[in-house]
Amino acid sequence: MGTFFGLQVALSGLQAQQRALMTISHNITNATTEGYSRQRVELQANAPYTNPALNSPLGAGQLGTGVTIAQMNRMRDTFIDASFRATTSSHGQFDARSEALAAIDVILNEPGNAGLAALLSDHWGAWQSLTTQPDSAGAREAVRRTGEALADGMGDLAGEFTRATTDAGSRITLQVGRANQIAGQVNTLNLQIAKSVAFGDSPNDLRDQRDKLLDELAGLTDITVTENTAGKVSVAIGGQLLLDATTDTANALAIDAAGAATVGGVGTTITTGSLRGQVDIRNSVVGGATGYLAQLDTFAAALIASVNTQHAAGFGLDGTTGNNFFSGTSASTIALDAAIAGTVDKIAASDTAGNLPGGADNALAIAQLQFLVQSIGGQTTTIDGYYQGLVSRIGVDVDQDRRLTEVQAGVLEAVRARRESVSGVSIDEEAAEMIRFQKSYNAAARMVTTIDEMLDTIVNRMGLVGR
Amino acid sequence: MRVSSQQMVLNFLADLERNNNLMAKVSREVSTGKSIVTPSDDPVGTTIAMGLRRDQAATGAWRRNIEDSLAWLNTTDRALGQALEVVQRARELAVQGGNGTLSADTRKLIADDIRALASQFVEIGNSSLGGRYLFGGTATNTQPFDPTTQAANLPINTGLVRREVGQGSTVAINITADRLQDPPGATPDFFAIISSLATAVENADTAASGQAMTDLDAHQDSIAALRAESGAKVNRLELTLSRFAAQDIATTRQLSMTEDADMAAAITELKMRESVLRATMAVGARVIQPSLMDFIS
């Protein structure tokens, strides 16, 4: 035990408290940083002196040798992280769906006087009015005008649905690009963290950055994260590795037009996340074979077929028969037939040539199509009823998605609160710790002064008898 | 559970957002007066409302049809009344002309009167409403009777003018020219009778006069039957009209109950949410401000 031994002990105290204070300062300045986990220095008493050996000096032992910082702890619970990522995925899926469907919900304008149901009613009403005055140009014009408004309304709605699917497609492209970008960034961080871990350091802030990126990725798609002993993480989507930690390669995620996902060329399935929501919107909810657009087209086709068949059987004021009223085959292509657009006289109100001009039985038959129960798109219902079914389906979907989003948001809040509880910075706590370390630092400094005075006594005032 | 500084703020913000959302929803309900603004607000209610609106529109169309039909039927009835008077006048003149004490000149005058009735009948037969001939069948733009020849224009159009007055129920509202001038059976048409009656009166042919009077009786019965038929239709349509009126009131009421907001309840909720919002903000402001730093000198 040397003369300056006490100095070393006090010095270790000064250094340790100072580093602890710096860590507290780091915590406080990052109190509002998103994704930051608070750090704690783990103080440990230094290895005591002396070690039992043959040549150890005799006397009371072991003597403490001061304090050292064993580790810079990052307060983070990986289980809560996994839970948070899973919840973020679910929330992302329903949030994406809700957002896309909310616009459609408003555009429908149902129930009300401006929606497609009202336009349809107006058109049937115009045919009914035609039955009372089949030779009147005014009544015929009303039929033509309401038919045109109906066709335009259907075209507009089909356009909205198409726009929703196009938007979803653009979002998918953007988000897939972002996912691949994140994978690359995580790969870079992996390498940096691995170097630091190999060196024996705790790369806490780098880990925070990486976790933040993984959280964002989890919002896009469901991921499984596994960390190996070197500190690198592998990220897998549905069993296929997006980021392979053993080879440090990021495989590209791709989603094709049909919604099938591949990672590095191998097929996989995305079950939750914003990408799942957008793919659902584009390929099964709004677009696709079972989507709203397909149902709207079925509705339009049924209307066109029913009206045209009945209309072609009748006779117009000019004596012609076999004319169609609507042209087109789907909601985006429906329009007035060119002949009808040319002249109202071709509107076939009469059922036979002999009943012109006062006969209105064909107009009556067309007006009665409103209540005709037929097979439309696999359902047995009327034309109006089929459209009501579509509106009901949209309403239920939007309502359900909104509820699920709210529920998931609640769960996400709860998980976030748990994470904050472990990793969040509490200013009050840091302030109290700050006082603690500051006092320790002051005490250690006072210790240095004491030893200095002791040494001063030895150096300047020992052995001065008689001088 | 340890609460970090961030968590306090996050909680406050989440609660504030929730309150704002609820406020927005209620204030939208109050300002639009509707509890269903988009289908997602109440999918079942939306379907019901759409069905009710559809019913309202259909009923409105039928009511318009019925009102138009009533105008047609009432005008037809007046024409039939006038036709009946003409037939009765013919019969009177036939009785008058059958008096054996009349001179040839008087009989000639009576015969002329009788012939004049034919053109009256033609005029009645050509009655129109809104530019359409009531007795013309579906050839509504052609006169059913020719004033110059004083006979029906051939071929007589027997087409029926049908109107829909309820779901799946139609009414034929017209009486065609053949039924007007021809009673059922072997009786000759009105113009033929007039012609033969005039000749019979001129020639003091009592047998022919008698036959003509029998035929005129048949005509009277026929026209009376036509009037009864029209009258029955008018009754049925007026009954249907009043039924539709009552139905419309019920439908409107049900639609209002489904779609419209209960203003009193909505406004009360709005005030409540507003006070909750204020309380949230006041409490939040008090709780998130102080920290230990304020107390360390």
Side-chain angles (χ1 to χ4, degrees):
Chain A
M1 208 180 90
T3 317
F4 300 101
F5 181 65
L7 210 52
Q8 281 302 109
V9 174
L11 182 63
S12 75
L14 281 175
Q15 284 177 332
Q17 308 308 333
Q18 193 182 38
R19 287 192 68 184
L21 276 171
M22 279 177 206
T23 306
I24 294 203
S25 163
H26 184 61
N27 279 345
I28 290 180
T29 46
N30 279 307
T32 55
T33 306
E34 201 182 315
Y36 178 78
S37 347
R38 67 193 169 113
Q39 294 171 17
R40 279 265 165 286
V41 292
E42 197 180 299
L43 297 171
Q44 194 182 53
N46 264 335
Y49 182 79
T50 59
N51 271 333
L54 184 61
N55 291 325
S56 304
L58 291 171
Q62 296 162 318
L63 196 59
T65 53
V67 70
T68 184
I69 292 183
Q71 217 178 333
M72 304 285 282
N73 281 339
R74 175 174 172 255
M75 309 303 284
R76 190 91 169 187
D77 187 337
T78 43
F79 295 112
I80 296 182
D81 277 340
S83 178
F84 184 81
R85 281 193 288 267
T87 316
T88 309
S89 291
S90 300
H91 179 256
Q93 179 187 5
F94 294 115
D95 198 35
R97 285 175 66 127
S98 276
E99 216 177 289
L101 291 178
I104 291 180
D105 192 36
V106 174
I107 288 290
L108 271 183
N109 251 323
E110 303 285 356
N113 296 328
L116 213 51
L119 291 176
L120 197 55
S121 273
D122 284 348
H123 188 57
W124 296 131
W127 280 109
Q128 277 286 8
S129 293
L130 187 62
T131 63
T132 59
Q133 20 178 13
D135 49 356
S136 148
R140 283 168 176 263
E141 185 55 42
V143 170
R144 183 164 73 174
R145 203 172 11 94
T146 52
E148 208 169 14
L150 181 59
D152 285 345
M154 287 212 261
D156 285 345
L157 192 57
E160 284 303 320
F161 288 158
T162 311
R163 200 194 341 275
T165 55
T166 318
D167 279 351
S170 310
R171 291 225 174 89
I172 289 175
T173 314
L174 274 173
Q175 286 175 359
V176 163
R178 180 74 189 129
N180 287 329
Q181 197 183 36
I182 290 177
Q185 287 171 342
V186 172
N187 197 19
T188 316
L189 283 169
N190 267 353
L191 295 169
Q192 291 174 335
I193 291 173
K195 279 196 202 125
S196 193
V197 167
F199 200 61
D201 282 344
S202 310
N204 293 333
D205 293 320
L206 289 174
R207 283 186 197 270
D208 278 347
Q209 272 183 45
R210 188 172 64 183
D211 278 335
K212 193 155 159 243
L213 285 172
L214 288 173
D215 284 346
E216 192 186 331
L217 187 57
L220 297 177
T221 166
D222 54 322
I223 51 174
T224 326
V225 175
T226 37
E227 185 168 338
N228 64 9
T229 46
K232 298 185 193 172
V233 301
S234 294
V235 179
I237 297 179
Q240 291 302 322
L241 285 173
L242 179 67
L243 178 60
D244 194 341
T246 45
T247 55
D248 294 325
T249 44
N251 301 315
L253 170 69
I255 298 185
D256 67 5
T262 54
V263 173
V266 183
T268 179
T269 42
I270 296 180
T271 48
T272 61
S274 177
L275 278 172
R276 171 90 247 145
Q278 300 293 353
V279 166
D280 279 346
I281 294 282
R282 186 183 68 176
N283 291 88
S284 61
V285 173
V286 179
T290 53
Y292 302 154
L293 188 56
Q295 273 200 290
L296 190 66
D297 283 341
T298 310
F299 163 65
L303 178 70
I304 294 170
S306 302
V307 172
N308 279 354
T309 310
Q310 189 63 51
H311 191 264
F315 289 78
L317 264 187
D318 57 358
T320 57
T321 180
N323 294 317
N324 281 339
F325 187 78
F326 288 117
S327 69
T329 48
S330 68
S332 20
T333 55
I334 184 176
L336 280 184
D337 190 80
I340 304 289
T343 166
V344 290
D345 286 347
K346 288 209 186 288
I347 295 179
S350 179
D351 55 336
T352 63
N355 277 334
L356 292 169
D361 282 353
N362 203 44
L364 184 58
I366 292 180
Q368 286 173 334
L369 286 174
Q370 187 182 17
F371 294 104
L372 176 68
V373 174
Q374 49 183 312
S375 174
I376 305 177
Q379 300 172 24
T380 312
T381 176
T382 63
I383 293 174
D384 286 55
Y386 188 76
Y387 178 70
Q388 280 174 20
L390 173 60
V391 170
S392 176
R393 178 186 164 197
I394 295 177
V396 168
D397 282 350
V398 175
D399 192 32
Q400 194 176 39
D401 279 340
R402 198 165 48 210
R403 275 183 220 284
L404 284 169
T405 309
E406 268 174 40
V407 166
Q408 287 302 322
V411 175
L412 190 60
E413 247 179 69
V415 177
R416 199 198 302 271
R418 270 172 63 209
R419 190 162 78 172
E420 269 296 302
S421 164
V422 171
S423 313
V425 173
S426 166
I427 302 276
D428 303 337
E429 202 178 77
E430 300 302 317
E433 293 286 291
M434 187 174 71
I435 293 175
R436 182 158 74 98
F437 289 123
Q438 190 197 22
K439 291 281 186 263
S440 292
Y441 184 86
N442 290 347
R446 185 59 58 88
M447 199 67 220
V448 171
T449 313
T450 309
I451 293 173
D452 178 47
E453 281 176 10
M454 281 165 53
L455 290 172
D456 186 55
T457 309
I458 294 176
V459 168
N460 290 327
R461 288 197 283 274
M462 251 174 80
L464 287 179
V465 169
R467 241 203 287 145
Chain B
M1 187 174 99
R2 182 176 165 275
V3 178
S4 70
S5 317
Q6 187 104 309
Q7 187 57 33
M8 303 273 281
V9 178
L10 287 175
N11 279 347
F12 167 65
L13 286 174
D15 290 336
L16 196 61
E17 190 181 318
R18 201 170 296 126
N19 279 327
N20 273 332
N21 279 339
L22 289 168
M23 263 281 280
K25 186 166 181 293
V26 173
S27 73
R28 191 178 64 171
E29 203 174 307
V30 171
S31 49
T32 57
K34 296 233 167 282
S35 70
I36 305 180
V37 179
T38 59
S40 64
D41 290 340
D42 183 0
V44 173
T46 303
T47 313
I48 294 175
M50 283 173 78
L52 289 172
R53 279 170 184 270
R54 202 271 307 263
D55 286 346
Q56 264 188 334
T59 310
W62 289 323
R63 285 172 81 176
R64 281 194 301 276
N65 283 359
I66 291 177
E67 276 155 19
D68 183 273
S69 306
L70 283 174
W72 183 292
L73 285 166
N74 284 329
T75 315
T76 307
D77 187 65
R78 269 197 297 281
L80 286 174
Q82 287 167 353
L84 197 60
E85 278 172 22
V86 166
V87 172
Q88 282 167 345
R89 180 88 185 107
R91 200 162 184 303
E92 276 169 25
L93 287 173
V95 167
Q96 216 181 354
N99 190 342
T101 61
L102 294 173
S103 67
D105 286 334
T106 324
R107 271 186 276 123
K108 179 93 180 30
L109 283 172
I110 292 174
D112 286 340
D113 271 347
I114 291 174
R115 286 200 186 90
L117 288 176
S119 46
Q120 263 191 49
F121 200 82
V122 164
E123 215 178 283
I124 292 167
N126 284 341
S127 302
S128 68
L129 176 68
R132 292 182 191 89
Y133 293 105
L134 295 173
F135 298 103
T138 52
T140 49
N141 57 351
T142 325
Q143 280 181 336
F145 296 99
D146 189 344
T148 22
T149 61
Q150 295 195 347
N153 277 324
L154 295 174
I156 297 180
N157 187 309
T158 54
L160 291 176
V161 174
R162 263 185 278 263
R163 300 278 160 81
E164 190 177 57
V165 295
Q167 184 167 350
S169 97
T170 52
V171 168
I173 58 170
N174 67 333
I175 290 170
T176 46
D178 56 326
R179 296 179 74 197
L180 181 63
Q181 68 165 15
D182 265 335
T187 322
D189 67 72
F190 186 74
F191 300 105
I193 297 173
I194 290 292
S195 174
S196 61
L197 180 62
T199 317
V201 164
E202 268 177 349
N203 301 334
D205 184 345
T206 43
S209 283
Q211 178 58 44
M213 280 196 279
T214 319
D215 291 341
L216 282 174
D217 283 339
H219 266 282
Q220 262 188 313
D221 291 340
S222 163
I223 293 178
L226 288 178
R227 282 192 91 180
E229 191 185 298
S230 268
K233 283 180 189 166
V234 167
N235 276 344
R236 172 187 161 188
L237 290 181
E238 277 175 352
L239 214 64
T240 312
L241 199 59
S242 65
R243 187 164 53 82
F244 278 158
Q247 204 176 312
D248 201 34
I249 292 175
T251 308
T252 310
R253 189 167 161 273
Q254 199 181 352
L255 191 60
S256 173
M257 271 170 32
T258 309
E259 267 187 357
D260 292 342
D262 181 347
M263 288 308 275
I267 291 175
T268 310
E269 195 181 331
L270 184 66
K271 295 303 290 179
M272 186 189 77
R273 295 248 166 260
E274 196 187 323
S275 60
V276 168
L277 189 64
R278 280 176 186 278
T280 307
M281 289 195 278
V283 167
R286 284 184 73 104
V287 162
I288 65 177
Q289 276 173 21
S291 79
L292 196 52
M293 293 298 189
D294 300 330
F295 297 99
I296 298 176
S297 55

